Amino acid sequence: MANENYEQVLNLLLEAINSGKNGGAPAGIPVGVSNHHIHLSQADQDKLFGPGYQLTSIKDLSQPGQFACKETVTIVGPKGAIEKIRVLGPVRKQTQVEILAGDGFKLGVKAPARLSGDLAGTPGITIVGPKGSVQIPEGVIVAQRHVHMLPQEAAQYGVKDGDIVSLKVDGPRGGTLDNVAIRATSTSALECHVDTEEANAFGMSSATKVTIVK
Amino acid sequence: MANENYEQVLNLLLEAINSGKNGGAPAGIPVGVSNHHIHLSQADQDKLFGPGYQLTSIKDLSQPGQFACKETVTIVGPKGAIEKIRVLGPVRKQTQVEILAGDGFKLGVKAPARLSGDLAGTPGITIVGPKGSVQIPEGVIVAQRHVHMLPQEAAQYGVKDGDIVSLKVDGPRGGTLDNVAIRATSTSALECHVDTEEANAFGMSSATKVTIVK
């Protein structure tokens, strides 16, 4: 065999050894922890920051094309306000505010646990930026925990897009999270998304790996 | 039979019917949600509020003899301070500060999940009251979730003091909490104690009931 063939055989052997380390199951899933944040529509961004304003990316997020911005806004509900809500880019079709369940008490807003984009019937809120404010009629949610993955990774884990699974978390505050949605698309990076309250309750950090249980 | 005998038989039948509703298992356990709070030693209370100061109870807590006070203190760590930490009475042998995991990041204090009273090796903090401040060398914990119950209730649930169990929570953010300690004493009232981050992560409120799974 030529040298490149030896290398190919070695790589295949290494892959087989690594996939067998966990009893043949795919490896644990990395965790991404989100604090409250906001996605803006172009129209709302124009009102809050001025027409033609360009958001400043300060950090690429794990999902391809998504980024955290320097810009923040204040959200105001009937009971209170929360400042420094981070804007995530790029702009979306509809403005979406993802709060923590605890924020809901401060704001006086009852936000349901929903997947991104599933905003029908959710409560609205007032958003204040440096150049103006908007009152959205709906769009406030608590993010339903979910796992991003490629369709081929879903096949490895024995799940498919839209499935609802449970996730096992180890550690002193470990346990099982039910009702976790699988989001398998060709532009996904493998990661389980939880919010800071879920991460704190389970003792999870960005170093934690979780396991799918069905 | 005399009338009181009929009544006794009826009550026994009712009890049997009710205990059978859940497949013979005892009923679900009510949940008590705690925000961050502090228990003070007499010496520390004297320094913070002045010698001879009497705490003002504003609410009896579910555990007999325990109460929430009008008084609050500020706790200060290397990275930040948190105001309005509620004092719970009565005084204890050693001052104990129970924070949320999220508070630990704000304060810059790495508090382990511990049961009440198990303070050896935990971090200290500065506590500021209206008449003075104290720097405790240890005593900051995140409360390990636990279930208070009477020994006879423990027997019904098939557990005993000191056991570690898991708790099943239903609902859209449901799941299972592992590493839950059973605290069965003759002065306990049946209640599962979690903190606000755990309650928010699991969608639990004071109306939630949880089930022991082993």
Side-chain angles (χ1 to χ4, degrees), chain A residues 101-103 105 113 142-145 168-169 171-179 195-202, chain B residues 101-103 105 113 142-145 168-169 171-179 195-202:
Chain A
D103 295 340
F105 297 110
V142 173
Q144 185 188 342
R145 48 227 187 178
K168 182 88 178 72
V169 185
R173 287 194 132 191
T176 308
L177 298 90
D178 294 340
N179 296 329
D195 69 26
T196 49
E197 289 181 323
E198 291 174 312
N200 289 341
F202 280 89
Chain B
D103 294 340
F105 297 110
V142 173
Q144 186 187 341
R145 48 226 187 181
K168 182 88 179 69
V169 185
R173 287 193 132 189
T176 307
L177 298 91
D178 294 341
N179 296 329
D195 69 25
T196 50
E197 288 181 324
E198 292 173 311
N200 289 340
F202 280 89

Side-chain angles (χ1 to χ4, degrees), chain B residues 3 6 23 32 45 52-53 63 66 75 81 92 96 111 114 117-119 138 140 154 156 163-165 171-172 197 207:
Chain B
N3 274 350
Y6 281 117
Q45 185 186 305
Y53 185 84
Q63 297 311 304
Q66 306 289 306
I75 54 175
R92 295 200 177 181
Q96 174 172 307
R114 289 280 186 91
D118 179 17
L119 305 181
E138 66 179 17
V140 184
Q156 285 184 296
D163 278 2
I164 301 295
V165 300
E197 288 181 324

Side-chain angles (χ1 to χ4, degrees), chain B residues 10 110 130:
Chain B
L10 268 174
K110 282 195 171 214

